[in-house]
């Protein structure tokens, strides 16, 4: 969730355009209705691609806005930009346009801002004194928007150990 206006790519530098102010370069998204155009903007004066809104990885993956996420490690937004110039001769525009296509992916990394949550604040489980060590007791699964269900693990701690963990 980068701040609005975070620099993603400097197109002018990447394309070796040294004086963008006096050149005839124009930048645009290949598709103005793409997900890229929704989250990013291209500054025509500097050639920089910046964020124009907050990018929430959980939202992107839950809604498949960036396409199906193959796993939690690979979430990216594809960006396709058209770079165009007009061919000028003695100050006259002859209408000839040269275009380059620039494509890259913006990797969206997750910020761990959600804690696992159970539907109940407390769970009471009666365990017999003679229960063998490492005996498995099924409990309701927690939900964590930052993790897949299979990545959440649980352990039961004695009350004294729990209080030490909380106070540290």
């Amino acid at each position: 969730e980068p701040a609005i206006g975070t620099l993603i790519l400097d197109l002018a530098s990447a394309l070796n355009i040294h004086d963008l102010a006096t050149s005839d370069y124009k930048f645009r998204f290949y598709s103005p209705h793409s997900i890229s155009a929704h989250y990013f903007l291209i500054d025509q004066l500097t050639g920089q691609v910046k964020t124009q809104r907050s990018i929430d990885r959980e939202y992107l993956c839950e809604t498949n806005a960036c396409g199906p996420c193959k796993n939690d490690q690979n979430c990216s937004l594809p960006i396709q930009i058209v770079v165009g110039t007009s061919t000028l001769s003695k100050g006259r525009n002859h209408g000839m346009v040269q275009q380059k296509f620039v494509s890259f992916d913006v990797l969206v990394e997750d910020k761990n801002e959600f804690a696992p949550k159970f539907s109940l604040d407390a769970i009471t489980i009666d365990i017999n004194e003679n229960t063998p060590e490492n005996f498995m007791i099924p409990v309701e699964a927690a939900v964590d928007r930052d993790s897949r269900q299979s990545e959440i693990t649980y352990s039961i701690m004695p009350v004294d150990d729990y209080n030490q963990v909380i106070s540290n």
Side-chain angles (χ1 to χ4, degrees), residues 133-149:
E133 212 174 293
N134 296 322
F135 181 76
M136 301 283 231
I137 300 172
V139 294
E140 175 189 358
V143 176
D144 183 352
R145 291 184 63 200
D146 290 313
S147 308
R148 291 182 187 250
Q149 188 72 31

Side-chain angles (χ1 to χ4, degrees), residues 3-75:
I4 294 170
T6 298
L7 177 66
I8 301 299
L9 175 69
D10 186 339
L11 281 169
S13 292
L15 297 172
N16 291 323
I17 302 170
H18 301 291
D19 192 6
L20 192 58
T22 60
S23 68
D24 195 31
Y25 282 94
K26 298 292 180 207
F27 307 100
R28 67 176 174 82
F29 290 103
Y30 181 73
S31 172
H33 304 292
S34 68
I35 188 91
S36 305
H38 180 74
Y39 284 104
F40 305 101
L41 60 85
I42 306 169
D43 185 327
Q44 294 295 324
L45 298 176
T46 63
Q48 294 179 336
V49 178
K50 298 179 180 181
T51 57
Q52 71 173 340
R53 63 180 27 100
S54 179
I55 302 171
D56 181 8
R57 180 178 170 149
E58 283 78 25
Y59 174 79
L60 290 174
C61 291
E62 286 170 6
T63 61
N64 289 331
C66 58
C69 294
K70 294 181 177 79
N71 60 50
D72 281 339
Q73 305 306 314
N74 288 328
C75 182

